[in-house]
Amino acid sequence: MRPALLDPLFAPLNSLPGIGPKAGELYARLLGRESIDDCRVIDLIFHAPHSLIDRRHQPGIARAPQGVIVTITGRVDRHQPPPPRTSQPYRVFLHDDTGELALTFFRVKGNWLEKALPVNETVTVSGKVDWFNGRPSMVHPDYMVRAAEAENLPLVEPVYPLTAGLSARILRKAVEAALPRIPDFPEWIDEALTEKQSFLSARDSFLALHDPRDETDLDPQAPARRRLAYDEFLAGQLSLSLVRQRLRKVAGTPVHATGKLSKPVLAALPFSLTASQTTAIGEVLEDMAGTERMLRLLQGDVGSGKTAVALMSMLAAVESGGQAVLMAPTEILARQHFTTLTKMAAPAGINIDVLTGRTKGREREAILERIVSGETQIVIGTHALFQDTVVYNNLLLAVVDEQHRFGVHQRLRLTAKGISPHMLVMTATPIPRTLVLAAFGDMDVSKLTEKPAGRKPIQTVTVSTERTGEIVARLRTALDEGKKAYWICPLVEESEASDLMSVDERFQTLKSHFGTEVGLVHGRMNGADKDAVMLAFKNSEIRLLVATTVVEVGVDVPDATIMVIEHAERFGLAQLHQLRGRVGRGDEASTCILLYKGPLSENGRARLSILRETEDGFLIAEEDLKLRGEGELLGTRQSGTPGFRIASLEAHGDLLEIARKDAAYIVERDPDLTSARGEALRTLLYLHRRDEAIRFLRAG
Ligand code: ADP
Ligand code: MG
């Protein structure tokens, strides 16, 4: 149960004054929620100002600088209404010791100005001053009050991120109505840390967040922001630790690998495993042999051979009499894995099936039957693998490929289904440790640090789109020599019609050059068509494949050696690295051509040159993080760290580390959060909507 203390903060947002149905939708968009029904008062309180308006400058009329916000106090001399039926403005003149100022109003209706600015009254106004022909004027002042009430004029105003249709003034009103609802929270931060970090209380931090006095208060390092960032990290880490502790306890069907299946498979591989592959397999087998459930992340750069590690791990589960699944993020990948793994695993003589959203009708029923009976030992597929209709006979291992967004929530879903297989999450996007921590909690990590022997480096060049003609001519020569190439067009969002057009246009032009040697694949095609094109490319019936980023992850056509990426400047570095990783997979030298549309910004130039200089995915990821921020790296386009409202890994990395240790300490000492601090921490979890973890507490 949520502590009653938090009720005022979890009241619906539209219980605040001035939030009707129309504004509701705007707020939902602004606060990143699905609808207004999902918006609470607390969401607005987490909506931090990004700048401020300073009205403290009171230079006097004659010394007011052009275009700058100032506050002026003066006496009203006269009103000058516009002549009837003209579009001229209404002017009110006032003066102080230094000069005269015209307050200017357009489309004035009624006599409200006479009431607001009576002649001979001393008033205080605030707004931007414009100088024209040596005369100052202020158009529609932001504030006009009688001098006696000047105290009520906010001299410093926070400025909030807005969304189209929502005015700053209305938003501020709502925030002002929300702030008094913040209660005195019980303190959940350890006293020693509070002292060391000079943290304010949570309540004071929220109040200070919305009441910046100057630029330093807006800095991520401002004490209020640091405290709130710490809270956010602590809530996240604590919830992850609680879930993790719980998941580990639930699980733990030990897997006894016998080698009966993996030995013949290994012997038949056309290569020997790299040392890091062997180490990673060893770590996985050791984890799975224990009584705790495995939660392991396998990080390996593109082409480092993660699939083989997955296969060996899955074979161990089968040797132990159980089943294993491999989940891929796309249909193409699932089917490709199915083909490769069926071939690789042939010597083991086991049953492998593929199950995706496209598997329908009788075929689907037959597969589901085989899964429930245990006849199928390995299933490869997409999200469809975890739908309610899929019932496993004895699922011991789930491998999730190329999917770093598979977080705690999905794991909880699995557990809710009553199955808790060992988990191996594989990612090719090298995620810096701090991000792993934020997204998965303290997960065990295996790394594939070396590439299989015999790989040739990929030569990367950057070329301006003006020279597309030359590239096409060079492609002609290369295809004539029997080479195969990808041509990637950006598709920011699969639904954007204009992007779709661009990939289709490119396909048409290339077709006019290369005829039937060119194929097209994009996310809007139906699955069977996609497969057919990919297969034709693999079998070299097509030699040039025009594609959107559907080929970004995992596609394996080892004899493709040329990668052209159009509008390279629009992609994230990590994504470019992924795309480039589609070539350089065989023993032929490969080339990657980054076509950019100039002129490039300095940042854009720096980004592309990193790719030219290195093929080290970890280095690229770190640089990407520096240049673009974390959100982009994880593929979510929001700014800042995904899943966090105040905290940012870039600014508050030091706090994350402390929060992680703090959470581990708490879970060890007080795993059910029953101590006084434990109780306070429950409030924290609710406050940050991390309460899913609370359901796992025994004394919950
Ligand atoms: P990724 O880590 O990107 O998923 P893959 O598992 O698709 O990489 O492997 C890339 C290519 O390298 C595949 O063609 C695979 O057969 C091959 N490969 C994997 N391990 C080795 C190895 N130890 N030696 C040589 N080639 C290997
Ligand atoms: Mg892969």
XYZ file of all heavy atoms in Angstrom, residues 120 172 190 257 416 445 455 469 509 527 546 558 613 699:
98
model
N -1.666 59.031 -12.778
C -1.081 59.524 -11.522
C -0.709 58.443 -10.521
O -0.129 58.729 -9.488
C -1.988 60.538 -10.813
C -1.934 61.860 -11.549
O -0.932 62.164 -12.208
N -3.021 62.621 -11.473
N 3.036 27.401 -15.053
C 3.560 27.874 -13.764
C 2.476 27.887 -12.705
O 2.708 27.551 -11.555
C 4.127 29.291 -13.912
C 5.553 29.299 -14.388
C 6.228 30.578 -13.991
N 6.286 30.740 -12.550
C 6.321 31.913 -11.939
N 6.283 33.020 -12.618
N 6.396 31.966 -10.633
N 20.886 7.911 4.383
C 21.750 7.717 5.521
C 22.332 9.051 6.004
O 22.734 9.884 5.192
C 22.859 6.772 5.039
C 23.862 6.493 6.096
O 23.479 5.838 7.072
O 25.018 6.949 5.931
N 25.626 -29.766 -17.457
C 26.124 -29.977 -18.810
C 26.935 -31.269 -18.844
O 27.745 -31.511 -17.957
C 26.989 -28.800 -19.233
N 6.243 -13.844 -13.668
C 4.811 -13.874 -13.408
C 4.164 -15.071 -14.114
O 3.155 -15.593 -13.673
C 4.164 -12.578 -13.881
N 28.650 -9.786 -16.002
C 28.957 -9.468 -17.392
C 30.086 -10.353 -17.925
O 31.112 -10.516 -17.272
C 29.377 -7.988 -17.544
C 29.731 -7.680 -18.982
C 28.264 -7.069 -17.064
N 40.312 -11.920 -39.476
C 39.483 -10.821 -39.964
C 40.369 -9.707 -40.505
O 41.343 -9.318 -39.876
C 38.627 -10.260 -38.816
C 37.574 -11.227 -38.341
C 36.336 -11.150 -39.216
N 35.488 -12.326 -39.027
C 34.644 -12.460 -38.018
N 34.522 -11.497 -37.144
N 33.913 -13.540 -37.903
N 27.711 9.946 -57.638
C 27.942 9.390 -58.964
C 29.203 8.531 -59.033
O 29.204 7.428 -59.574
N 16.723 4.493 -58.535
C 17.893 4.982 -59.275
C 18.949 3.900 -59.425
O 19.540 3.750 -60.498
C 18.598 6.168 -58.572
O 18.223 6.188 -57.219
C 18.314 7.487 -59.219
N 6.852 -10.174 -43.993
C 7.953 -11.043 -43.598
C 8.450 -11.961 -44.697
O 9.656 -12.087 -44.915
N 19.644 -2.736 -51.236
C 19.253 -1.433 -50.694
C 18.370 -1.711 -49.488
O 17.421 -2.492 -49.584
C 18.474 -0.620 -51.738
C 18.092 0.738 -51.164
C 19.309 -0.449 -52.996
N 28.496 -13.267 -44.918
C 29.951 -13.078 -44.795
C 30.642 -12.598 -46.073
O 31.671 -11.944 -45.988
C 30.461 -14.466 -44.408
C 29.288 -15.175 -43.844
C 28.088 -14.619 -44.529
N 38.689 6.290 -37.696
C 39.917 5.987 -36.986
C 39.910 4.658 -36.250
O 40.950 4.079 -36.010
C 40.219 7.109 -35.981
C 40.838 8.310 -36.650
C 40.579 9.587 -35.861
O 40.299 9.480 -34.650
O 40.626 10.670 -36.467
N 7.110 -8.929 3.761
C 6.257 -8.140 4.647
C 5.678 -6.956 3.891
O 5.581 -5.863 4.396
C 7.075 -7.669 5.846
